[in-house]
Amino acid sequence: MSPDTPQLPYPATRTALAHALADINGVLPGSVRIRHMRCGKQRCACKDDPPSLHGPYIQWTRTVRGKTITRYLSEEQLARYQPWFDNAKQVKNLLGKLETASLHALEQAEKPTKPGRDTESPAAGPTKPRD
Ligand SMILES: [Zn+2]
C-alpha cells in the first residue's frame, strides 16, 4: 500500500486483510539460520587464512511444547519452503492489522452506554464472579 492510498473504511480493510490471509497456502513455525563452521581436523581448508568454512548448514529451529527442535534443511529444501517461512511473518503482520481494524470497528459501533463501565478497576472493590 502506498502512502497516497486513501484510508479504507474498516469493513473494506477487514475484507482486504481476510482475502490476503486466504491467499496464504502454507506457514511454517520457527526460524532458519544459515551457519558456516570449522571442523576438528588440524589440516583443513577451514583453518586457512582466509578460512574456507564448512557449510552452509541450514538450521531450522522451532519450539514444540517448550522443547527446542532443530532440523537441518538442504539448500534445495530451503528454496522450496522459504515462501512458507516468509508467510509466517506475513500472517503475523496481517493478523495484527486485522486486530487493529476490528478493534476500531468495535469502538466505532459500540459506544459505551455507561461512562466508565469499560474502565472499571478491580481495585474499586470485590467483584462478583460473572456467570
Ligand atoms: Zn574443516
Side-chain angles (χ1 to χ4, degrees), residues 37-41 43-47 52-54:
M37 303 181 187
R38 283 191 173 87
C39 70
K41 288 182 204 158
R43 292 172 61 86
C44 183
C46 67
K47 305 287 193 311
S52 173
L53 298 177
H54 300 279

Side-chain angles (χ1 to χ4, degrees), residues 1 13 18 22 26 36 43 57 62-63 76 80 85-86 93-94 102 105 117 123 125 128 130:
M1 210 185 283
T13 304
H36 294 82
R43 292 172 61 86
Y57 298 105
R62 66 202 157 102
T63 308
E76 185 212 2
R80 201 178 315 149
F85 289 113
D86 295 341
N93 181 29
L94 288 169
S102 302
R117 194 192 168 102
K128 289 177 186 171
R130 290 172 208 208

Side-chain angles (χ1 to χ4, degrees), residues 10 14 96-109:
Y10 297 125
R14 294 201 316 279
K97 286 180 177 170
L98 190 53
E99 280 179 354
T100 303
S102 302
L103 281 168
H104 282 305
L106 182 145
E107 279 159 17
Q108 271 194 344

Side-chain angles (χ1 to χ4, degrees), residues 52-123:
S52 173
L53 298 177
H54 300 279
Y57 298 105
I58 302 163
Q59 222 175 31
W60 169 32
T61 307
R62 66 202 157 102
T63 308
V64 178
R65 274 176 253 118
K67 277 188 177 176
T68 301
I69 295 186
T70 300
R71 181 176 172 156
Y72 290 91
L73 301 176
S74 69
E75 284 179 87
E76 185 212 2
Q77 286 172 326
L78 178 63
R80 201 178 315 149
Y81 294 105
Q82 186 64 58
W84 290 4
F85 289 113
D86 295 341
N87 283 349
K89 286 173 205 147
Q90 179 73 351
V91 164
K92 219 174 174 183
N93 181 29
L94 288 169
L95 195 58
K97 286 180 177 170
L98 190 53
E99 280 179 354
T100 303
S102 302
L103 281 168
H104 282 305
L106 182 145
E107 279 159 17
Q108 271 194 344
E110 314 293 334
K111 298 287 180 205
T113 47
K114 293 180 186 173
R117 194 192 168 102
D118 286 348
T119 54
E120 197 176 354
S121 158

